[in-house]
Amino acid sequence: DLPRPKTGDGVFFDLPVIGLIVYPVWLSIPLAIVALLLVGALVWRVRSGVVAGAAVSLALILVSACAAWGAGKMFTRAGTWSGLNALGIVLLVLAIGAICRRAGIRWSSDRAFHAGGLAVLAVLGVVVSVLAPGVSYLFVWPVIFAATAALATHWRAVLEWLSAAIVLLILAGFAYATSVVMLGLSGAGAIALGVLVAIIVIVLIPHLALVNETPRWSNAGWMLAAACAVFVLAALTVHSDADHPIRSALAYEEHADSNDAWLGTFSGLGDDWTRGVLSAPVAAPAWASRTQEFGATFVGQRVGRVPLDAPNAVMARDTTINGFRRVVLRVTAPHGATTLLLRAPGARVATASIDGRIVDTTRYRYKSPEWVMLYHALPDSGAIVALSIPLGAKLNFEIASTRPGLPSIPGVAVPARPAYVAPSQDGDVSVVYRRFVF
């Protein structure tokens, strides 16, 4: 085969009219430093009240995240995907912002509040640029535009409106897509919405000051009342139906080397249909959760075993190369399996290859504590997996094959899904797990 060129990792986001903005990941930290320097100049110019403004801004972000998370805990399963509930959380965060602004005027001005808030966001931008550069633009670019506008001596009003447009174009759509479309308004999705709206409030402080020069407690009161009204409206009108179904997925899992078998779910027990199928769900043994690439929690109930064809691993060669033990295995999956999960816990895997192709770990952004690989559409002939581990170490090797659909389980009747419940991701699957020691 001809060598395949490597594409560089990039940071990218979309803007209306302009289109897709793309730049290499290595620029994330320099841009974050530019944002930090601009904010530093602004802080030096404002000085008085900046520390108080930073403290109030940090409180705004933390309280908004907690409040959004708490609101998300109250939503029904259908409500976690509701735009109305998202609007309620936005109004709730705006109310918190009004409270923070009203409380902050005792120690700070709007200008100092703005400068202190941008300082907090600039520091967060540096941290995110190091740990997760792909999303650093959410902090860095709003800060760059807002700080530039705040420092301007000419055309400040124009630049402030430009910075407001940029922050709304970058953050508003992303907040909706993340919370309502991708993650849902529970847990991380609700927290993300709360934090992103808090960032928008901080960046738009100059515009809030134009609308309401003297903040009052009543501002927070009517926004909080509006949030409650929206939550009540959503509770009365948002329900699951065929057009807005609840997601679900069942899994039958069996340990090929024992009599242990379970019927359960990785998707949670958020609907009546799943709870009806799993009458007394409990946490399954650890092996059941290890059949997923990232070890998701599997809850369910022990059921009668239905012997299914199992995956297999056979040692093809055991040698010493470059001071490491090189174990070569042929792995196979049963007929009908769509994926095969390979996992090597315990011994450190120095190098790995599959069918002679080196697994290049140098491009991994995050290092896993154990070697894991998910193989889709394994050929009938299987695959050759070669792992290098320290001399004298044993290779613990786990494999799990997944095929669509559930088998006929003795004593278990799985009713048809109602219209408001739909299978999601891979749908219902059957998984067979095995463990080897080489």
Side-chain angles (χ1 to χ4, degrees), residues 31-89:
L31 287 172
I33 293 174
V34 169
L36 194 63
L37 292 174
L38 287 171
V39 172
L42 178 62
V43 168
W44 178 258
R45 178 178 295 182
V46 177
R47 299 185 192 178
S48 177
V50 170
V51 174
V56 173
S57 298
L58 185 59
L60 168 59
I61 294 173
L62 295 177
V63 174
S64 296
C66 293
W69 175 82
K73 298 289 285 185
M74 298 186 295
F75 300 152
T76 63
R77 191 69 176 267
T80 58
W81 308 100
S82 166
L84 269 178
N85 281 329
L87 175 60
I89 289 179

Side-chain angles (χ1 to χ4, degrees), residues 15 34 36 40 48 75 139 156 186 207 225 243 290 327 336 342 384 389 425 428 430:
L15 288 177
V34 169
L36 194 63
S48 177
F75 300 152
F139 297 88
R156 176 181 292 180
S186 63
H207 301 276
D243 294 327
R290 294 180 65 77
V327 181
L342 314 174
I384 300 298
I389 60 176
Q425 302 295 337
D428 298 338
S430 299

Side-chain angles (χ1 to χ4, degrees), residues 164-181:
I166 292 296
V167 71
L168 289 174
L169 289 173
I170 291 177
L171 295 183
F174 181 84
Y176 179 84
T178 300
S179 59
V180 179
V181 179

Side-chain angles (χ1 to χ4, degrees), residues 181-203:
V181 179
M182 291 188 293
L183 300 177
L185 295 168
S186 63
I191 293 173
L193 180 59
V195 170
L196 291 172
V197 175
I199 292 173
I200 292 174
V201 170
I202 291 172
V203 176

Side-chain angles (χ1 to χ4, degrees), residues 276-320:
V277 174
L278 305 174
S279 56
V282 296
W287 67 263
S289 294
R290 294 180 65 77
T291 61
Q292 298 294 300
E293 186 175 6
F294 300 108
T297 301
F298 185 74
V299 296
Q301 59 196 41
R302 189 173 271 109
V303 294
R305 192 169 183 272
V306 182
L308 300 177
D309 293 336
N312 196 23
V314 177
M315 181 178 288
R317 190 163 59 252
D318 190 350
T319 59
T320 300

Side-chain angles (χ1 to χ4, degrees), residues 114 132 154 175 213 298 429:
H114 188 227
H154 302 288
E213 184 176 354
F298 185 74
V429 295

Side-chain angles (χ1 to χ4, degrees), residues 84 87-89 91-92 95 220-233:
L84 269 178
L87 175 60
I89 289 179
L91 291 170
L92 180 61
W222 71 258
M223 281 188 283
L224 185 59
C228 293
V230 170
F231 287 143
V232 171
L233 179 62

